[in-house]
Amino acid sequence: MAELRYRAGNIRNPEVHKIGIIALGSHLENHGPALPIDTDAKIGAHIAFQSSLQTGAKFLGIIFPAYELDTIDHGVHVSLETLKENVIRTLNDAKKFLDIEKVVIVNSHGGNIPLMSELWDIEDKTDMIVVFNNKVISSEGPHGGSGELSMAKVLGIVNENELDNQANVNEYEEVGLYGFKQARRDDPNIEEGARDVEENGVYIDEEYGERLFTLAISSVLFDVEKLLDF
């Protein structure tokens, strides 16, 4: 087997080759008429890829399935157990084929947050250190709202002809999760987001989108630095 030149290229620390960055979003869910159904996947993949470019960590792509609460029916999702099994299988493949020992999961779909409670089992079954980065979810605001629209504008995936219809929550109940009454009752944050879209509508601000991406990417860079010190 060839001896790999781990110090070749613009690599600050060869130990970064043992760190992977993988996106976890959702490919199949409605985001209103102005955004595609794989908005979360594209946002998460962009954050993960840019973070890998800036750190030298391995870009591991994106996990395909996603989870969602039963009270939010706006797409095609899998059970939490199925998602966990897929994550474990994917990370074990990264360990086997790429010698990855540590990984940052960049989550860009709020429905995946319950996976955090399963991280101990994922680490146990992969023998890896796993960091779950949720920064973009905590920063972007309501589902299909101004934050996601602004980031999608940066990526060039917004249908701006439908922007005036995006805040029509009576027709597009997934925007702000407005139409999911039980979820709104269960979670004050969801209720706040639904009211925000209903009362204030949505807008696109490309500069705001760039700031959200910068914030999310910087958070992943910090996670990688911590893993290098671990």
Side-chain angles (χ1 to χ4, degrees):
M1 185 172 64
E3 182 178 349
L4 293 173
R5 302 182 184 92
Y6 283 99
R7 293 187 177 277
N10 185 19
I11 299 294
R12 291 175 294 162
N13 185 339
E15 290 300 311
V16 82
H17 288 291
K18 296 185 181 296
I19 299 175
I21 303 176
I22 192 165
L24 172 62
S26 177
H27 288 80
L28 302 171
E29 63 179 37
N30 293 322
H31 279 74
L35 294 173
I37 60 174
D38 59 348
T39 293
D40 291 352
K42 284 171 174 163
I43 286 174
H46 180 75
I47 294 167
F49 182 58
Q50 293 301 320
S51 299
S52 73
L53 292 181
Q54 294 186 41
T55 61
K58 292 287 186 292
F59 176 61
L60 303 181
I62 186 164
I63 293 167
F64 292 161
Y67 173 70
E68 186 54 273
L69 299 173
D70 292 337
T71 53
I72 301 175
D73 183 17
H74 61 353
V76 179
H77 302 98
V78 302
S79 69
L80 186 61
E81 185 63 25
T82 297
L83 175 60
K84 182 175 76 168
E85 290 172 356
N86 186 275
V87 170
I88 290 171
R89 183 165 59 251
T90 301
L91 296 187
N92 275 328
D93 280 347
K95 182 176 183 137
K96 176 180 179 181
F97 294 112
L98 302 177
D99 198 27
I100 298 296
E101 296 179 357
K102 309 169 187 178
V103 66
V104 180
I105 297 175
V106 178
N107 180 45
S108 54
H109 167 59
N112 292 323
I113 290 176
L115 188 67
M116 294 178 69
S117 65
E118 303 293 329
L119 287 184
W120 64 272
D121 197 29
I122 294 172
E123 289 187 323
D124 184 61
K125 291 179 178 175
T126 60
D127 194 27
M128 298 174 71
I129 300 171
V130 180
V131 176
F132 193 90
N133 186 293
N134 205 48
K135 188 64 175 180
V136 70
I137 295 300
S138 65
S139 306
E140 69 182 3
H143 179 80
S146 302
E148 282 195 316
L149 281 165
S150 297
M151 287 187 288
K153 171 68 173 178
V154 175
L155 298 181
I157 60 173
V158 181
N159 181 355
E160 296 193 43
N161 292 327
E162 290 286 352
L163 186 59
D164 289 342
N165 298 320
Q166 182 73 8
N168 183 353
V169 291
N170 293 313
E171 183 172 356
Y172 303 104
E173 63 178 3
E174 71 274 10
V175 178
L177 302 181
Y178 176 84
F180 302 103
K181 306 301 183 185
Q182 186 60 52
R184 291 174 60 176
R185 286 191 289 268
D186 293 343
D187 190 330
N189 291 323
I190 293 177
E191 174 65 17
E192 182 181 355
R195 287 185 176 275
D196 180 45
V197 172
E198 180 186 28
E199 295 171 4
N200 302 312
V202 299
Y203 63 88
I204 285 182
D205 182 338
E206 192 166 357
E207 184 177 334
Y208 176 43
E210 292 280 10
R211 290 201 306 270
L212 285 172
F213 273 129
T214 297
L215 183 65
I217 292 167
S218 296
S219 179
V220 178
L221 301 187
F222 183 65
D223 285 339
V224 172
E225 290 295 333
K226 287 191 297 184
L227 288 176
L228 283 172
D229 292 336
F230 194 86

PDB file of all heavy atoms in Angstrom, residues 20-25 27 41 44-46 48-49 52 58-64 90 98 104 106:
ATOM      1  N   GLY A  20     -13.994  13.660  10.603  1.00  0.00           N
ATOM      2  CA  GLY A  20     -14.936  13.780   9.502  1.00  0.00           C
ATOM      3  C   GLY A  20     -16.029  14.785   9.827  1.00  0.00           C
ATOM      4  O   GLY A  20     -16.364  15.007  10.987  1.00  0.00           O
ATOM      5  N   ILE A  21     -16.582  15.392   8.790  1.00  0.00           N
ATOM      6  CA  ILE A  21     -17.729  16.299   8.931  1.00  0.00           C
ATOM      7  C   ILE A  21     -18.821  15.795   7.993  1.00  0.00           C
ATOM      8  O   ILE A  21     -18.589  15.622   6.793  1.00  0.00           O
ATOM      9  CB  ILE A  21     -17.363  17.749   8.573  1.00  0.00           C
ATOM     10  CG1 ILE A  21     -16.185  18.242   9.431  1.00  0.00           C
ATOM     11  CG2 ILE A  21     -18.569  18.661   8.763  1.00  0.00           C
ATOM     12  CD1 ILE A  21     -15.700  19.634   9.063  1.00  0.00           C
ATOM     13  N   ILE A  22     -20.003  15.549   8.551  1.00  0.00           N
ATOM     14  CA  ILE A  22     -21.095  15.011   7.750  1.00  0.00           C
ATOM     15  C   ILE A  22     -22.362  15.807   8.021  1.00  0.00           C
ATOM     16  O   ILE A  22     -22.612  16.242   9.148  1.00  0.00           O
ATOM     17  CB  ILE A  22     -21.303  13.506   8.051  1.00  0.00           C
ATOM     18  CG1 ILE A  22     -22.230  12.871   7.018  1.00  0.00           C
ATOM     19  CG2 ILE A  22     -21.808  13.284   9.482  1.00  0.00           C
ATOM     20  CD1 ILE A  22     -22.197  11.350   7.025  1.00  0.00           C
ATOM     21  N   ALA A  23     -23.141  16.026   6.985  1.00  0.00           N
ATOM     22  CA  ALA A  23     -24.390  16.785   7.110  1.00  0.00           C
ATOM     23  C   ALA A  23     -25.547  15.848   7.428  1.00  0.00           C
ATOM     24  O   ALA A  23     -25.578  14.700   6.985  1.00  0.00           O
ATOM     25  CB  ALA A  23     -24.679  17.553   5.826  1.00  0.00           C
ATOM     26  N   LEU A  24     -26.485  16.366   8.193  1.00  0.00           N
ATOM     27  CA  LEU A  24     -27.721  15.646   8.513  1.00  0.00           C
ATOM     28  C   LEU A  24     -28.866  16.631   8.347  1.00  0.00           C
ATOM     29  O   LEU A  24     -29.012  17.565   9.135  1.00  0.00           O
ATOM     30  CB  LEU A  24     -27.674  15.111   9.943  1.00  0.00           C
ATOM     31  CG  LEU A  24     -28.961  14.487  10.493  1.00  0.00           C
ATOM     32  CD1 LEU A  24     -29.368  13.273   9.669  1.00  0.00           C
ATOM     33  CD2 LEU A  24     -28.779  14.107  11.955  1.00  0.00           C
ATOM     34  N   GLY A  25     -29.649  16.460   7.299  1.00  0.00           N
ATOM     35  CA  GLY A  25     -30.737  17.392   7.037  1.00  0.00           C
ATOM     36  C   GLY A  25     -32.038  16.660   6.825  1.00  0.00           C
ATOM     37  O   GLY A  25     -32.406  15.763   7.586  1.00  0.00           O
ATOM     38  N   HIS A  27     -34.360  15.556   3.091  1.00  0.00           N
ATOM     39  CA  HIS A  27     -34.473  15.699   1.639  1.00  0.00           C
ATOM     40  C   HIS A  27     -35.920  15.810   1.154  1.00  0.00           C
ATOM     41  O   HIS A  27     -36.146  16.223   0.012  1.00  0.00           O
ATOM     42  CB  HIS A  27     -33.836  14.501   0.937  1.00  0.00           C
ATOM     43  CG  HIS A  27     -32.349  14.468   0.989  1.00  0.00           C
ATOM     44  ND1 HIS A  27     -31.648  14.023   2.083  1.00  0.00           N
ATOM     45  CD2 HIS A  27     -31.415  14.823   0.065  1.00  0.00           C
ATOM     46  CE1 HIS A  27     -30.344  14.096   1.839  1.00  0.00           C
ATOM     47  NE2 HIS A  27     -30.183  14.585   0.630  1.00  0.00           N
ATOM     48  N   ALA A  41     -31.305  19.769   3.452  1.00  0.00           N
ATOM     49  CA  ALA A  41     -30.149  18.976   3.031  1.00  0.00           C
ATOM     50  C   ALA A  41     -29.101  19.861   2.360  1.00  0.00           C
ATOM     51  O   ALA A  41     -27.896  19.723   2.608  1.00  0.00           O
ATOM     52  CB  ALA A  41     -30.593  17.863   2.086  1.00  0.00           C
ATOM     53  N   GLY A  44     -27.412  22.159   5.044  1.00  0.00           N
ATOM     54  CA  GLY A  44     -26.481  21.396   5.868  1.00  0.00           C
ATOM     55  C   GLY A  44     -25.239  20.964   5.114  1.00  0.00           C
ATOM     56  O   GLY A  44     -24.128  21.021   5.645  1.00  0.00           O
ATOM     57  N   ALA A  45     -25.428  20.538   3.859  1.00  0.00           N
ATOM     58  CA  ALA A  45     -24.287  20.100   3.050  1.00  0.00           C
ATOM     59  C   ALA A  45     -23.330  21.255   2.787  1.00  0.00           C
ATOM     60  O   ALA A  45     -22.101  21.087   2.788  1.00  0.00           O
ATOM     61  CB  ALA A  45     -24.774  19.500   1.735  1.00  0.00           C
ATOM     62  N   HIS A  46     -23.884  22.444   2.546  1.00  0.00           N
ATOM     63  CA  HIS A  46     -23.038  23.620   2.304  1.00  0.00           C
ATOM     64  C   HIS A  46     -22.193  23.938   3.542  1.00  0.00           C
ATOM     65  O   HIS A  46     -20.981  24.184   3.429  1.00  0.00           O
ATOM     66  CB  HIS A  46     -23.910  24.820   1.944  1.00  0.00           C
ATOM     67  CG  HIS A  46     -23.143  26.073   1.680  1.00  0.00           C
ATOM     68  ND1 HIS A  46     -22.432  26.298   0.519  1.00  0.00           N
ATOM     69  CD2 HIS A  46     -22.951  27.186   2.450  1.00  0.00           C
ATOM     70  CE1 HIS A  46     -21.848  27.488   0.576  1.00  0.00           C
ATOM     71  NE2 HIS A  46     -22.145  28.045   1.734  1.00  0.00           N
ATOM     72  N   ALA A  48     -21.344  21.897   6.003  1.00  0.00           N
ATOM     73  CA  ALA A  48     -20.374  20.819   6.230  1.00  0.00           C
ATOM     74  C   ALA A  48     -19.213  20.899   5.238  1.00  0.00           C
ATOM     75  O   ALA A  48     -18.043  20.749   5.619  1.00  0.00           O
ATOM     76  CB  ALA A  48     -21.075  19.465   6.130  1.00  0.00           C
ATOM     77  N   PHE A  49     -19.531  21.141   3.958  1.00  0.00           N
ATOM     78  CA  PHE A  49     -18.486  21.180   2.943  1.00  0.00           C
ATOM     79  C   PHE A  49     -17.553  22.369   3.144  1.00  0.00           C
ATOM     80  O   PHE A  49     -16.321  22.223   3.101  1.00  0.00           O
ATOM     81  CB  PHE A  49     -19.123  21.235   1.548  1.00  0.00           C
ATOM     82  CG  PHE A  49     -18.126  21.234   0.427  1.00  0.00           C
ATOM     83  CD1 PHE A  49     -17.214  20.202   0.301  1.00  0.00           C
ATOM     84  CD2 PHE A  49     -18.090  22.261  -0.502  1.00  0.00           C
ATOM     85  CE1 PHE A  49     -16.281  20.191  -0.738  1.00  0.00           C
ATOM     86  CE2 PHE A  49     -17.173  22.266  -1.530  1.00  0.00           C
ATOM     87  CZ  PHE A  49     -16.268  21.226  -1.652  1.00  0.00           C
ATOM     88  N   SER A  52     -15.267  21.730   5.998  1.00  0.00           N
ATOM     89  CA  SER A  52     -14.196  20.781   5.665  1.00  0.00           C
ATOM     90  C   SER A  52     -13.100  21.455   4.848  1.00  0.00           C
ATOM     91  O   SER A  52     -11.911  21.163   5.024  1.00  0.00           O
ATOM     92  CB  SER A  52     -14.762  19.571   4.913  1.00  0.00           C
ATOM     93  OG  SER A  52     -15.122  19.908   3.585  1.00  0.00           O
ATOM     94  N   LYS A  58     -12.181  15.634   6.773  1.00  0.00           N
ATOM     95  CA  LYS A  58     -12.781  14.901   5.665  1.00  0.00           C
ATOM     96  C   LYS A  58     -14.269  15.243   5.535  1.00  0.00           C
ATOM     97  O   LYS A  58     -15.015  15.173   6.501  1.00  0.00           O
ATOM     98  CB  LYS A  58     -12.645  13.393   5.895  1.00  0.00           C
ATOM     99  CG  LYS A  58     -11.215  12.871   5.822  1.00  0.00           C
ATOM    100  CD  LYS A  58     -10.730  12.863   4.382  1.00  0.00           C
ATOM    101  CE  LYS A  58      -9.353  12.207   4.276  1.00  0.00           C
ATOM    102  NZ  LYS A  58      -8.304  12.992   4.923  1.00  0.00           N
ATOM    103  N   PHE A  59     -14.688  15.588   4.316  1.00  0.00           N
ATOM    104  CA  PHE A  59     -16.102  15.799   4.038  1.00  0.00           C
ATOM    105  C   PHE A  59     -16.728  14.449   3.743  1.00  0.00           C
ATOM    106  O   PHE A  59     -16.353  13.773   2.781  1.00  0.00           O
ATOM    107  CB  PHE A  59     -16.278  16.744   2.846  1.00  0.00           C
ATOM    108  CG  PHE A  59     -17.710  16.933   2.424  1.00  0.00           C
ATOM    109  CD1 PHE A  59     -18.637  17.466   3.306  1.00  0.00           C
ATOM    110  CD2 PHE A  59     -18.122  16.577   1.152  1.00  0.00           C
ATOM    111  CE1 PHE A  59     -19.958  17.644   2.922  1.00  0.00           C
ATOM    112  CE2 PHE A  59     -19.437  16.751   0.760  1.00  0.00           C
ATOM    113  CZ  PHE A  59     -20.360  17.284   1.647  1.00  0.00           C
ATOM    114  N   LEU A  60     -17.670  14.043   4.575  1.00  0.00           N
ATOM    115  CA  LEU A  60     -18.259  12.707   4.464  1.00  0.00           C
ATOM    116  C   LEU A  60     -19.616  12.710   3.769  1.00  0.00           C
ATOM    117  O   LEU A  60     -20.299  11.683   3.739  1.00  0.00           O
ATOM    118  CB  LEU A  60     -18.414  12.097   5.868  1.00  0.00           C
ATOM    119  CG  LEU A  60     -17.123  11.999   6.702  1.00  0.00           C
ATOM    120  CD1 LEU A  60     -17.421  11.352   8.043  1.00  0.00           C
ATOM    121  CD2 LEU A  60     -16.043  11.232   5.952  1.00  0.00           C
ATOM    122  N   GLY A  61     -20.016  13.844   3.205  1.00  0.00           N
ATOM    123  CA  GLY A  61     -21.279  13.886   2.480  1.00  0.00           C
ATOM    124  C   GLY A  61     -22.459  14.164   3.398  1.00  0.00           C
ATOM    125  O   GLY A  61     -22.372  14.959   4.333  1.00  0.00           O
ATOM    126  N   ILE A  62     -23.566  13.479   3.122  1.00  0.00           N
ATOM    127  CA  ILE A  62     -24.797  13.755   3.861  1.00  0.00           C
ATOM    128  C   ILE A  62     -25.537  12.453   4.140  1.00  0.00           C
ATOM    129  O   ILE A  62     -25.544  11.537   3.316  1.00  0.00           O
ATOM    130  CB  ILE A  62     -25.685  14.739   3.080  1.00  0.00           C
ATOM    131  CG1 ILE A  62     -26.901  15.153   3.923  1.00  0.00           C
ATOM    132  CG2 ILE A  62     -26.109  14.185   1.732  1.00  0.00           C
ATOM    133  CD1 ILE A  62     -27.599  16.389   3.410  1.00  0.00           C
ATOM    134  N   ILE A  63     -26.116  12.382   5.307  1.00  0.00           N
ATOM    135  CA  ILE A  63     -26.938  11.237   5.690  1.00  0.00           C
ATOM    136  C   ILE A  63     -28.301  11.391   5.019  1.00  0.00           C
ATOM    137  O   ILE A  63     -28.891  12.467   5.029  1.00  0.00           O
ATOM    138  CB  ILE A  63     -27.062  11.174   7.222  1.00  0.00           C
ATOM    139  CG1 ILE A  63     -25.680  10.859   7.826  1.00  0.00           C
ATOM    140  CG2 ILE A  63     -28.105  10.152   7.653  1.00  0.00           C
ATOM    141  CD1 ILE A  63     -25.593  11.070   9.311  1.00  0.00           C
ATOM    142  N   PHE A  64     -28.821  10.320   4.442  1.00  0.00           N
ATOM    143  CA  PHE A  64     -30.031  10.423   3.625  1.00  0.00           C
ATOM    144  C   PHE A  64     -31.333  10.557   4.419  1.00  0.00           C
ATOM    145  O   PHE A  64     -32.120  11.456   4.141  1.00  0.00           O
ATOM    146  CB  PHE A  64     -30.133   9.223   2.677  1.00  0.00           C
ATOM    147  CG  PHE A  64     -29.074   9.199   1.613  1.00  0.00           C
ATOM    148  CD1 PHE A  64     -28.780   8.029   0.944  1.00  0.00           C
ATOM    149  CD2 PHE A  64     -28.371  10.346   1.269  1.00  0.00           C
ATOM    150  CE1 PHE A  64     -27.810   8.000  -0.046  1.00  0.00           C
ATOM    151  CE2 PHE A  64     -27.399  10.332   0.289  1.00  0.00           C
ATOM    152  CZ  PHE A  64     -27.118   9.145  -0.382  1.00  0.00           C
ATOM    153  N   THR A  90     -23.329   4.426   8.601  1.00  0.00           N
ATOM    154  CA  THR A  90     -22.549   5.383   7.803  1.00  0.00           C
ATOM    155  C   THR A  90     -21.226   5.717   8.483  1.00  0.00           C
ATOM    156  O   THR A  90     -20.164   5.758   7.826  1.00  0.00           O
ATOM    157  CB  THR A  90     -23.367   6.661   7.578  1.00  0.00           C
ATOM    158  OG1 THR A  90     -24.586   6.339   6.896  1.00  0.00           O
ATOM    159  CG2 THR A  90     -22.582   7.671   6.752  1.00  0.00           C
ATOM    160  N   LEU A  98     -11.988   5.103   5.742  1.00  0.00           N
ATOM    161  CA  LEU A  98     -11.245   6.361   5.764  1.00  0.00           C
ATOM    162  C   LEU A  98     -10.467   6.584   7.046  1.00  0.00           C
ATOM    163  O   LEU A  98      -9.839   7.628   7.215  1.00  0.00           O
ATOM    164  CB  LEU A  98     -12.214   7.542   5.557  1.00  0.00           C
ATOM    165  CG  LEU A  98     -13.035   7.521   4.265  1.00  0.00           C
ATOM    166  CD1 LEU A  98     -13.985   8.708   4.236  1.00  0.00           C
ATOM    167  CD2 LEU A  98     -12.131   7.521   3.053  1.00  0.00           C
ATOM    168  N   VAL A 104     -18.017  15.377  13.294  1.00  0.00           N
ATOM    169  CA  VAL A 104     -18.983  16.436  13.593  1.00  0.00           C
ATOM    170  C   VAL A 104     -20.187  16.214  12.685  1.00  0.00           C
ATOM    171  O   VAL A 104     -20.052  16.187  11.460  1.00  0.00           O
ATOM    172  CB  VAL A 104     -18.411  17.841  13.345  1.00  0.00           C
ATOM    173  CG1 VAL A 104     -19.467  18.903  13.677  1.00  0.00           C
ATOM    174  CG2 VAL A 104     -17.158  18.066  14.170  1.00  0.00           C
ATOM    175  N   VAL A 106     -23.355  17.862  11.278  1.00  0.00           N
ATOM    176  CA  VAL A 106     -23.939  19.195  11.087  1.00  0.00           C
ATOM    177  C   VAL A 106     -25.429  19.010  10.827  1.00  0.00           C
ATOM    178  O   VAL A 106     -25.841  18.628   9.733  1.00  0.00           O
ATOM    179  CB  VAL A 106     -23.270  19.933   9.916  1.00  0.00           C
ATOM    180  CG1 VAL A 106     -23.931  21.299   9.706  1.00  0.00           C
ATOM    181  CG2 VAL A 106     -21.777  20.092  10.163  1.00  0.00           C
TER     182      VAL A 106
END
